[in-house]
Amino acid sequence: MTAHTTAGSSSVCALLPAWQAAGFIQPTLDSLSAQTYRNFRVIVSVDQCTDDTAELCRAHAEGDPRFRVVQQSERLGYVGNCNALLQLADSDYALFAFHDDIIAPTYIERLAAALDGDPEAVVSFSDVHLTHTDGREEHWVLSELEGITNPAERGHLMLAGGLKWWVPNRGVFRLSMARQIGGLKLHGAGEFSTDWPWLFHMSLLGKFLRVPETLCFKYYKPGSLSRSWAFTPEQRFEVLCACLRELWNANISSTAKLDIAVPLVQYLHHNRPQGVTAA
């Protein structure tokens, strides 16, 4: 299971939030074991579930000492499980290794090198190839943020409709920045797109670097969490309100906050879903 390795000075930790994944998690574990980056380890947090996910992960860890498996004694949910992993990590960089994604062997090597080369960057990410449950394929590229150094401009772009914000969600990030944000947070629509406000906040703190290679391969599964969401106007309204909360908590200038907040508040006011009223 041990891969040929290349040197890496910055430590990287893959954080794998797992739940009810016994039928498909093994290729993800194998792709993590195949990483060429040397200074690398994996923490798997198995949320309370009813299948053999924990047993499969522990069996894999027996063959690869870089893996640590934690089994939660109570149901945390996606947000709670991700935040538990952020607390367990002790590294320079980290990434969320989703249990229906497979990453190329050079994924960590290429993305860690991008962060090493630019101290102003907070996230590095690659292009993503998606396979749907029915076999349809898509290629996801997010290039709009390339070269953008102004935090307000990055924030506007991250809120724009049609932007594939979920692509950098599969990137490598500076762990210190994730902790500064306080991890993922629930909002008025529960766990719907909780990664979006988190990534939006991250975009305010530093540059996003695209490595123009397809290094991540996502496979939608019948039980994938995001496939269960309804994607309603109410959900979008709540997640954008959560972005507004992140904006006010961000460590950026008041001027930059206002530049983003004014059009965002106007949008929310004019697009308040029917039935959403003031408390």
Side-chain angles (χ1 to χ4, degrees):
M1 234 180 246
T2 303
H4 295 292
T5 57
T6 57
S9 56
S10 299
S11 57
V12 181
C13 187
L15 310 175
L16 202 171
W19 179 72
Q20 297 293 112
F24 52 85
I25 198 171
Q26 190 61 54
T28 300
L29 299 173
D30 292 340
S31 75
L32 290 168
S33 283
Q35 291 303 298
T36 59
Y37 196 77
R38 178 176 299 145
N39 197 357
F40 169 65
R41 57 189 179 277
V42 182
I43 305 175
V44 183
S45 176
V46 182
D47 207 355
Q48 190 177 62
C49 52
T50 58
D51 67 359
D52 295 330
T53 300
E55 289 76 10
L56 285 169
C57 293
R58 283 196 291 264
H60 189 90
E62 289 178 3
D64 190 335
R66 295 172 298 177
F67 279 68
R68 174 188 175 191
V69 179
V70 177
Q71 186 167 12
Q72 301 298 336
S73 59
E74 59 183 32
R75 183 83 166 94
L76 299 181
Y78 173 70
V79 168
N81 207 13
C82 286
N83 288 337
L85 283 163
L86 286 171
Q87 291 300 313
L88 290 170
D90 182 17
S91 58
D92 299 309
Y93 307 149
L95 66 138
F96 286 116
F98 301 112
H99 57 26
D100 48 5
D101 291 0
I102 296 174
I103 55 177
T106 57
Y107 173 92
I108 302 294
E109 178 186 339
R110 298 287 290 121
L111 299 190
L115 286 180
D116 285 343
D118 191 340
E120 295 183 3
V122 297
V123 176
S124 63
F125 61 96
S126 76
D127 300 340
V128 178
H129 188 81
L130 166 69
T131 301
H132 289 269
T133 54
D134 61 5
R136 289 180 298 113
E137 298 183 0
E138 294 181 31
H139 192 64
W140 288 345
V141 175
L142 187 142
S143 58
E144 291 88 339
L145 296 174
E146 291 184 276
I148 305 299
T149 58
N150 184 294
E153 188 175 354
R154 286 195 304 267
H156 282 301
L157 287 169
M158 283 294 290
L159 296 174
L163 188 86
K164 294 181 174 66
W165 59 263
W166 51 86
V167 174
N169 197 39
R170 286 159 175 83
V172 174
F173 54 86
R174 296 189 189 276
L175 183 59
S176 60
M177 293 298 184
R179 290 203 168 126
Q180 179 178 326
I181 291 170
L184 281 68
K185 304 178 186 74
L186 295 171
H187 51 65
E191 291 190 329
F192 174 76
S193 292
T194 47
D195 309 280
W196 189 2
W198 181 80
L199 280 168
F200 166 71
H201 194 155
M202 192 80 80
S203 75
L204 302 177
L205 302 182
K207 293 191 291 185
F208 277 31
L209 298 179
R210 175 190 170 221
V211 174
E213 301 175 40
T214 305
L215 300 173
C216 181
F217 302 84
K218 178 169 183 59
Y219 296 85
Y220 277 142
K221 305 297 180 183
S224 295
L225 175 64
S226 60
R227 298 301 87 199
S228 68
W229 292 333
F231 294 90
T232 65
E234 291 79 9
Q235 287 175 320
R236 179 175 173 80
F237 177 82
E238 293 294 349
V239 78
L240 287 175
C241 286
C243 288
L244 185 61
R245 173 185 63 191
E246 295 301 315
L247 174 62
W248 288 118
N249 290 330
N251 185 24
I252 59 174
S253 71
S254 298
T255 300
K257 289 181 181 180
L258 284 172
D259 286 343
I260 302 169
V262 170
L264 177 56
V265 170
Q266 289 174 340
Y267 175 88
L268 290 170
H269 176 70
H270 291 296
N271 292 275
R272 180 187 298 179
Q274 191 173 21
V276 176
T277 59

